[in-house]
Amino acid sequence: MQIKQILAAAAVGTEITVKGWVRTKRDSKNVVFININDGSVIHNIQAVVEAGIVDEETLKLVTTGSCIAATGTLVASQGSGQSVELQVSSIQVYGTADPEKYPLQPKRHSLEFLREIGHLRARTNTFSAILRVRHALAFAIHKYFNDNGFFYLHTPIITGSDAEGAGEMFRVTTLDPKNPPLNEDGSINYKEDFFGKETNLTVSGQLEGELGAMALSKVYTFGPTFRAENSNTARHLAEFWMIEPEVAFNELTDNMELAEDFTKYVIRYALENCADDLAFLENRLKEEEKNKKQDERSELALIEKLKFVVDNEYEKLTYTEAIKILLNSKRHKEGKFQYPVEWGIDLQSEHERYLVEKHFKKPVILTNYPKDIKAFYMKLDDDGKTVRAMDVLFPGIGEIIGGSQREDDHDKLWARCQEVGIPHEAIWWYLETRQFGSAPHSGFGIGFERLVMFVTGMSNIRDVIAFPRTPKSAEF
Ligand code: 4AD
Ligand code: MG
């Protein structure tokens, strides 16, 4: 039985077998206590082995990190800290773990150290909790969309278009790097490549998502996304997972409502279904923050913070209003922003964090950004200067969602393509949806790892994905 099932439902007196990894083993007079964890819940089950029940040779092999099956009777626990324990009748050792070499000892390890042992770190309380919360959030996302009439659209991972312009791309090729076929002018002849053209890993499924929305009305994607920017920050991965809903007939305000309703739903789902893991992560965060200066500590504990987001309306304002707030801020007047503030700038993370963490102290949706700092596909506002963009900013995270109403007018869209230099042969199929039954539509993309960071309270994105991919790092 999984430990989760045992703790939830098994009756005292039943005969059970638990299989899992040994967290600790403690010898005391005439009895050995073994804590076993199988990853199904944060809790261990304590196996109690009385003298003479299991032979010494076998017991010696049971050490921290080893994998065993313990069979016995479930009994009410005599000790504190658990309500039931396993009175062992036999033990089978599946795999030993040399105590001299096993890197995970029953003590606190730094997150940096754990990143170096990515093949084993899921065996810690912290990472198993994060991975379970991550799973619950993924499930909640599919449930939300399914329950609301959306269809899961699988958009391609290999793409022949780089029109989106969301970031630097990773090339996909089967050409021999030492001896590629060349054109007469010396450039590489991609007609000889696998797909007969240049191909890359996708930076977003949005453009194909829009094609889906123009047929199924409500679609979403949930897939891996790749960006080759060399941004070595705590919020960027080279390979991350993005969820992108796209909805026909939605305008910008509908899009904002969807983003708010959706994020609140999945956070509430985690609160209701991951209580033990969140309680553990909340304590972890409190411990970690003890080493921080008073003003760097979060005002709310993790669970309080999540409840606050679920229970309060997001602040909604335009980019232009946000710039005014920044210009009027004490921080700006004292020259304490590193980057200059004026209408037209791309907001830096320090600006976003000021708005969210200092000024409003809640999630913020910023809309109607200048067209020059946003993608070509966003619908132009009537003033001709701004577009129907929206970014959702979260405390401690910054931008968690980017989205917009899309330009549905063929001629305006084609004019924008020309302005930013997208050739017709790269984008003709996208333009055609504006010639054949075009409709107003909107969508957004939410970075899954940034959502997991927010819900788990982890501050480095490398710690919310099992095997992170970042510049100069693709181990495991
Ligand atoms: O703002 P972005 O670039 O928007 C798009 O890609 C649009 N096509 C989305 C759409 O409208 N369908 O990315 C969306 C989100 C960001 O807000 C952020 O949460 C996340 O994706 N993101 C990253 N997460 C981790 N590592 C990176 N390098 C990320 N880049 C973006
Ligand atoms: Mg963005």
Side-chain angles (χ1 to χ4, degrees):
M1 274 176 105
Q2 280 193 302
I3 294 173
K4 183 178 180 168
Q5 290 172 286
I6 296 170
L7 297 180
V12 164
T14 38
E15 184 84 357
I16 51 175
T17 298
V18 179
K19 299 178 181 180
W21 292 266
V22 174
R23 284 292 174 81
T24 56
K25 179 182 164 202
R26 185 163 56 85
D27 287 274
S28 94
K29 222 171 52 189
N30 292 330
V31 54
V32 176
F33 298 99
I34 304 165
N35 268 311
I36 307 170
N37 188 282
D38 66 0
S40 61
V41 271
I42 191 93
H43 310 292
N44 302 326
I45 195 145
Q46 174 164 282
V48 182
V49 192
E50 272 166 28
I53 301 283
V54 175
D55 65 273
E56 283 303 312
E57 284 309 297
T58 304
L59 260 187
K60 238 189 253 161
L61 301 177
V62 177
T63 56
T64 297
S66 62
C67 185
I68 66 170
T71 301
T73 313
L74 197 66
V75 297
S77 178
Q78 328 238 304
S80 61
Q82 64 275 324
S83 59
V84 288
E85 61 191 22
L86 188 69
Q87 192 74 47
V88 172
S89 56
S90 71
I91 282 182
Q92 183 189 350
V93 178
Y94 288 124
T96 57
D98 183 347
E100 301 280 299
K101 294 187 184 140
Y102 186 61
L104 280 174
Q105 292 310 314
K107 62 160 197 177
R108 182 169 288 270
H109 293 289
S110 76
L111 295 171
E112 289 76 13
F113 170 72
L114 293 175
R115 269 173 229 147
E116 288 166 19
I117 52 163
H119 56 310
L120 297 170
R121 71 175 177 171
R123 295 193 196 176
T124 62
N125 282 334
T126 299
F127 281 92
S128 60
I130 291 165
L131 292 177
R132 282 186 298 268
V133 173
R134 185 180 162 109
H135 162 81
L137 286 169
F139 180 80
I141 288 165
H142 286 298
K143 180 162 167 53
Y144 177 87
F145 287 125
N146 183 63
D147 291 353
N148 285 285
F150 285 71
F151 299 99
Y152 182 18
L153 183 70
H154 295 88
T155 50
I157 290 170
I158 298 173
T159 171
S161 101
D162 67 351
E164 161 102 8
E168 293 296 310
M169 303 180 93
F170 289 100
R171 165 116 351 121
V172 175
T173 179
T174 53
L175 294 179
D176 178 357
K178 288 206 205 84
N179 187 23
L182 298 178
N183 295 312
E184 272 169 18
D185 65 1
S187 60
I188 293 173
N189 181 5
Y190 286 104
K191 289 208 179 75
E192 302 266 313
D193 205 347
F194 189 91
F195 295 104
K197 64 194 299 202
E198 279 190 70
T199 47
N200 295 289
L201 294 178
T202 187
V203 293
S204 157
Q206 179 197 322
L207 301 193
E208 290 90 352
E210 286 185 53
L211 312 184
M214 289 297 106
L216 300 168
S217 294
K218 293 165 95 170
V219 300
Y220 71 104
T221 73
F222 189 163
T225 311
F226 306 88
R227 298 199 183 171
E229 295 129 300
N230 206 353
S231 35
N232 225 330
T233 78
R235 293 188 177 78
H236 289 87
L237 289 167
E239 175 181 294
F240 64 101
W241 288 68
M242 184 153 58
I243 300 102
E244 296 182 275
E246 192 68 37
V247 187
F249 319 117
N250 264 12
E251 308 216 348
L252 184 61
T253 46
D254 308 305
N255 206 32
M256 291 157 71
E257 270 170 40
L258 177 65
E260 182 165 353
D261 190 55
F262 164 77
T263 43
K264 284 180 170 172
Y265 175 89
V266 297
I267 293 169
R268 196 180 305 119
Y269 185 91
L271 280 168
E272 286 167 6
N273 292 276
C274 306
D276 289 353
D277 287 324
L278 290 179
F280 173 84
L281 291 166
E282 172 169 293
N283 279 331
R284 193 206 70 83
L285 198 60
K286 277 185 192 153
E287 287 296 316
E288 188 183 81
E289 292 200 332
K290 279 186 187 157
N291 305 322
K292 285 191 182 168
K293 290 195 216 106
Q294 189 69 39
D295 64 337
E296 284 171 7
R297 292 184 200 159
S298 23
E299 288 175 26
L300 299 178
L302 180 63
I303 292 170
E304 271 180 316
K305 179 191 79 173
L306 300 178
K307 286 190 177 148
F308 178 85
V309 167
V310 167
D311 292 337
N312 287 281
E313 280 225 2
Y314 297 1
E315 194 68 38
K316 298 164 192 93
L317 69 159
T318 65
Y319 167 92
T320 303
E321 288 163 338
I323 290 288
K324 276 190 204 135
I325 291 173
L326 292 170
L327 287 173
N328 283 326
S329 68
K330 198 158 146 237
R331 193 170 296 186
H332 173 70
K333 289 181 179 154
E334 288 173 355
K336 287 197 178 140
F337 283 125
Q338 195 189 337
Y339 293 90
V341 181
E342 59 178 322
W343 198 94
I345 58 156
D346 206 354
L347 294 180
Q348 299 294 322
S349 133
E350 58 171 349
H351 305 135
E352 296 179 341
R353 298 191 70 159
Y354 176 84
L355 291 168
V356 174
E357 287 157 30
K358 295 274 175 262
H359 192 81
F360 291 113
K361 296 184 190 275
K362 51 156 58 170
V364 171
I365 309 186
L366 287 187
T367 62
N368 307 86
Y369 285 71
K371 75 174 199 301
D372 294 333
I373 57 169
K374 287 293 182 187
F376 76 98
Y377 50 69
M378 296 193 182
K379 188 170 177 65
L380 204 58
D381 282 315
D382 294 338
D383 66 6
K385 282 193 250 167
T386 55
V387 286
R388 287 195 202 158
M390 64 165 212
D391 274 7
V392 182
L393 314 177
F394 262 32
I397 305 290
E399 179 192 331
I400 192 164
I401 288 181
S404 70
Q405 184 169 347
R406 319 305 188 187
E407 185 56 78
D408 50 51
D409 179 287
H410 174 273
D411 294 352
K412 284 188 192 157
L413 185 60
W414 175 227
R416 272 302 275 160
C417 290
Q418 287 167 295
E419 268 173 48
V420 301
I422 302 172
H424 195 266
E425 68 263 27
I427 200 77
W428 63 272
W429 45 273
Y430 185 72
L431 288 165
E432 276 200 2
T433 56
R434 274 69 172 171
Q435 284 177 311
F436 305 133
S438 189
H441 62 288
S442 303
F444 61 79
I446 176 165
F448 186 48
E449 284 73 20
R450 294 204 186 163
L451 174 69
V452 181
M453 282 174 80
F454 183 73
V455 173
T456 58
M458 300 302 290
S459 53
N460 193 313
I461 199 164
R462 292 166 179 77
D463 297 331
V464 297
I465 184 165
F467 308 107
R469 296 289 176 258
T470 52
K472 300 280 177 288
S473 165
E475 195 69 43
F476 314 114

